[in-house]
Amino acid sequence: MRAAAGGRDSLSSSSVAAVALRALLIATACGLVFALLNLPDGRAGSTPPGGERGAGGGRGARLLVEQGLIREARRLNTVAEEIDGQTDEIAAEEDERISKSPPDTKEKIWMMQDQLIMAKAQCTFSSIAEIEDKRDREGNKPLKWRFPYTWEKMKAMEQTLSKAQRTYPRCSQMTSKLRAMTHNSEELVRAHQSESSFLEQVAVRTLPKGHHCLAMRLTTEYFSLDPKEREFPKRDNRQLDGYYHYAIFSDNVLASAVVVNSTIAASKDPGRIMLHIVTDALNYPAMRMWFLTNPPTPAAIEVESLDDFKWLPGDFSSRFKLKGVRDPRYTSALNHLRFYLPEVFPSLSKVLLLDHDVVVQKDLSGLWNIDMKGKIIGAVETCTSGEGYHGLDSLFDFSNPSISNKFDAKACTFAFGMNIFDLNEWRKHGLTATYHKWFQVGKRQRLWKAGSLPLGQLVFYNQTLPLDRRWHVLGLGHDFSIGRDELESASVIHYSGKLKPWLEISIPKYRDNWNRHLNYDNAYLQQCNIHG
């Protein structure tokens, strides 16, 4: 009953006083009702004032007294309600202090309050019942006192209160039990959330079994080829500006295949496309073998390894490993290779860089004709979303003067994944040296979040040309709310996020956009049990 009466854990001394006063008022009201029941009536032989015994004189006088008592009882009840309201406020204010009281004290207070509540309810119900019984015995019609319960409902309520008192005599024990159950449930939910997060991270950091099988079979086949059969056609044309040059830095064979296939399928002039894939030494044989057996005709293609770039720092492949960070999106050397584009392509003036988790849906040749206005990179801005505006302060620690003195916290962020680069302007501004400077700063102190994205915001600060959002729609790896119209109007869709399309945990409604660019009847895919 303590819980039903309001759920407070304790009462202050002032609260106890108020409850006692309320009990006194209730007792007074009950006494008045009792006096009413024992008033003499005309049939008892008493004589009304003035010595006359009229037919209705005694009963009329008693009725006047009863009405006066009723008004007094109502007034006392109103006062009690006001006191009760004040008691709630006082108890709420002092709840924290009283909660530190000894357990025995709180038990006594709760018991007193329960008894007072029961006394009030039983007094009210009993008084009403006695009045009604007496009225019936006298043959008089009951007075309309405006009580909301009939005789049956009052009896049922009294039985319910008695049953509750017998069933839950110690509300504090029940409260403790419910709190323990709630705590256990919350701990169970947290354990399941932690397990789910861990399994999701495992899925993100590892390729499915079929992908490992594919890489092994392709590697074996590659080394069984004659060295002359390992070369791609049109090798001498890879640096010519007459082509639309696309760069893909990836260690995922199937993901790279989707990017290449979708780019060729969407192009209006695929014969002018030159594809440059750079991978790591481990996946180099498998990547080459895939495109040797699945050439992107009529486009030209070249596959290179990081080991081919002798000008890279000796520790380049391992320098991005971070303690406690295992997500390959944040530790991959291929993600940082984008900051060396002028060195990777020394003879090119422009190149379009695509991440391996994108699908090209429309011809992209128009990006080579965009006026860059002296900027180095063309990108879609990501500072606005359904949740509000997101600036650089969402990625960087602006409490550090090294950041706050050089950058605007509300400057708009931009997306990697589909970017056009003016390499001539890059060389003119020496941005590769800028990258080296900020990379060393980041090694000395933690000023931004993990990954290459924050570092890119610094390197290309004030050097970015905003592109129309229809060029590049992001979020298919985490956002379930992207509409069909937005997807169909996008030139490139990007599965940014953890739920990559080649994983079983990917978002089902976006999976077909990726699967349609793979031929699952391919012998290698069949042998490795890879299906859409």
Side-chain angles (χ1 to χ4, degrees):
M1 291 184 61
R2 165 69 178 170
R8 293 188 299 271
D9 292 333
S10 61
L11 280 174
S12 63
S13 59
S14 58
S15 300
V16 174
V19 171
L21 178 58
R22 178 176 176 81
L24 179 62
L25 293 174
I26 293 172
T28 303
C30 291
L32 291 173
V33 174
F34 179 78
L36 169 66
L37 295 175
N38 290 277
L39 283 174
D41 58 17
R43 288 177 295 179
S46 58
T47 304
E52 296 182 358
R53 290 181 56 167
R59 185 174 298 138
R62 195 183 71 165
L63 179 62
L64 292 175
V65 174
E66 289 175 349
Q67 291 174 344
L69 291 174
I70 292 169
R71 286 194 296 272
E72 182 63 17
R74 288 176 177 171
R75 185 185 70 80
L76 291 173
N77 188 62
T78 301
V79 173
E81 290 177 353
E82 293 176 355
I83 292 174
D84 197 28
Q86 295 173 0
T87 300
D88 290 341
E89 295 178 2
I90 295 172
E93 293 175 356
E94 300 184 359
D95 185 69
E96 183 177 359
R97 180 176 63 84
I98 300 302
S99 64
K100 301 178 180 179
S101 300
D104 292 343
T105 302
K106 288 190 286 187
E107 287 285 344
K108 292 179 181 178
I109 293 174
W110 292 343
M111 185 179 299
M112 292 172 60
Q113 189 178 34
D114 288 346
Q115 292 174 351
L116 288 173
I117 293 172
M118 287 294 298
K120 175 186 174 183
Q122 292 176 354
C123 179
T124 302
F125 293 143
S126 298
S127 300
I128 295 172
E130 290 176 7
I131 292 171
E132 292 293 331
D133 286 343
K134 189 169 184 178
R135 287 297 181 186
D136 290 340
R137 289 196 303 271
E138 293 174 354
N140 299 321
K141 294 182 179 180
L143 294 174
K144 296 187 180 295
W145 285 19
R146 298 181 182 178
F147 287 107
Y149 301 106
T150 62
W151 167 248
E152 291 79 7
K153 290 183 178 179
M154 288 187 291
K155 280 293 184 183
M157 178 62 74
E158 186 174 10
Q159 293 173 0
T160 300
L161 290 172
S162 298
K163 182 179 179 181
Q165 188 180 34
R166 291 193 304 272
T167 306
Y168 303 113
R170 299 179 68 82
C171 291
S172 62
Q173 293 180 355
M174 179 56 65
T175 302
S176 299
K177 182 177 180 180
L178 292 174
R179 284 177 177 168
M181 293 172 63
T182 301
H183 176 74
N184 291 338
S185 298
E186 291 174 348
E187 288 296 319
L188 187 61
V189 169
R190 278 193 287 268
H192 284 310
Q193 288 176 338
S194 177
E195 181 182 5
S196 175
S197 177
F198 173 76
L199 293 176
E200 185 178 83
Q201 290 296 328
V202 170
V204 169
R205 296 197 299 264
T206 60
L207 284 175
K209 180 179 178 181
H211 289 238
H212 286 290
C213 168
L214 177 64
M216 292 296 292
R217 284 187 175 273
L218 290 171
T219 300
T220 301
E221 293 286 342
Y222 179 77
F223 285 112
S224 67
L225 293 177
D226 185 275
K228 294 180 181 179
E229 297 175 332
R230 300 176 186 176
E231 301 299 328
F232 292 100
K234 299 185 178 179
R235 180 183 180 188
D236 296 334
N237 296 332
R238 64 181 301 273
Q239 298 287 4
L240 298 180
D241 268 340
Y243 285 82
Y244 298 123
H245 291 269
Y246 293 81
I248 305 164
F249 302 155
S250 172
D251 56 2
N252 187 317
V253 174
L254 277 191
S256 300
V258 169
V259 179
V260 169
N261 293 344
S262 63
T263 300
I264 300 302
S267 176
K268 295 178 180 178
D269 190 4
R272 293 185 61 194
I273 290 178
M274 182 68 200
L275 297 155
H276 308 272
I277 298 180
V278 181
T279 187
D280 54 26
L282 180 64
N283 291 281
Y284 176 74
M287 192 77 75
R288 287 188 71 90
M289 189 63 195
W290 175 267
F291 288 107
L292 284 170
T293 56
N294 299 277
T297 308
I301 189 168
E302 181 57 50
V303 177
E304 297 180 276
S305 169
L306 282 174
D307 290 349
D308 295 333
F309 305 135
K310 304 303 180 182
W311 41 264
L312 283 174
D315 64 340
F316 184 77
S317 295
S318 60
R319 60 164 46 178
F320 309 107
K321 305 296 182 181
L322 299 175
K323 185 177 181 180
V325 179
R326 298 181 180 179
D327 193 327
R329 296 175 301 166
Y330 303 142
T331 60
S332 173
L334 291 169
N335 282 342
H336 286 261
L337 187 62
R338 72 188 69 197
F339 299 111
Y340 295 91
L341 281 173
E343 288 76 24
V344 176
F345 306 109
S347 301
L348 296 185
S349 59
K350 280 188 178 181
V351 67
L352 182 66
L353 181 65
L354 297 173
D355 279 1
H356 70 186
D357 55 351
V358 307
V359 173
V360 180
Q361 299 189 136
K362 297 184 179 181
D363 181 71
L364 301 180
S365 59
L367 290 172
W368 272 266
N369 300 322
I370 288 179
D371 181 6
M372 296 289 287
K373 300 178 181 178
K375 302 298 184 181
I376 295 173
I377 178 175
V380 168
E381 293 181 331
T382 57
C383 53
T384 56
S385 67
E387 302 177 354
Y389 186 90
H390 302 277
L392 290 181
D393 53 356
S394 63
L395 298 174
F396 298 94
D397 178 14
F398 272 86
S399 65
N400 191 294
S402 300
I403 299 296
S404 59
N405 292 341
K406 295 180 175 65
F407 304 97
D408 179 6
K410 298 304 178 183
C412 194
T413 56
F414 66 88
F416 282 137
M418 195 286 298
N419 306 106
I420 185 73
F421 290 91
D422 187 329
L423 300 184
N424 290 333
E425 288 293 328
W426 184 317
R427 298 180 184 103
K428 186 186 301 183
H429 287 82
L431 283 194
T432 302
T434 302
Y435 161 75
H436 287 148
K437 181 191 73 173
W438 284 113
F439 180 79
Q440 294 301 322
V441 170
K443 287 181 65 176
R444 292 193 297 268
Q445 49 187 330
R446 194 70 175 269
L447 299 177
W448 50 77
K449 294 183 178 180
S452 61
L453 175 61
L455 197 54
Q457 308 294 323
L458 301 183
V459 174
F460 300 109
Y461 184 73
N462 285 337
Q463 297 293 340
T464 305
L465 175 72
L467 299 179
D468 189 292
R469 294 181 62 85
R470 289 172 295 182
W471 282 109
H472 185 191
V473 172
L474 300 97
L476 278 71
H478 66 86
D479 188 352
F480 289 78
S481 65
I482 301 174
R484 177 56 53 186
D485 291 342
E486 187 176 3
L487 288 180
E488 292 178 352
S489 64
S491 297
V492 173
I493 55 175
H494 189 176
Y495 292 81
S496 56
K498 297 179 180 179
L499 310 180
K500 301 303 184 185
W502 53 84
L503 301 176
E504 291 185 2
I505 61 174
S506 62
I507 301 175
K509 68 176 182 178
Y510 306 141
R511 202 173 292 157
D512 287 343
N513 297 75
W514 194 82
N515 283 336
R516 68 172 61 123
H517 296 287
L518 279 178
N519 176 19
Y520 287 99
D521 293 330
N522 181 282
Y524 289 112
L525 302 189
Q526 290 288 317
Q527 292 167 4
C528 292
N529 198 27
I530 298 176
H531 305 286

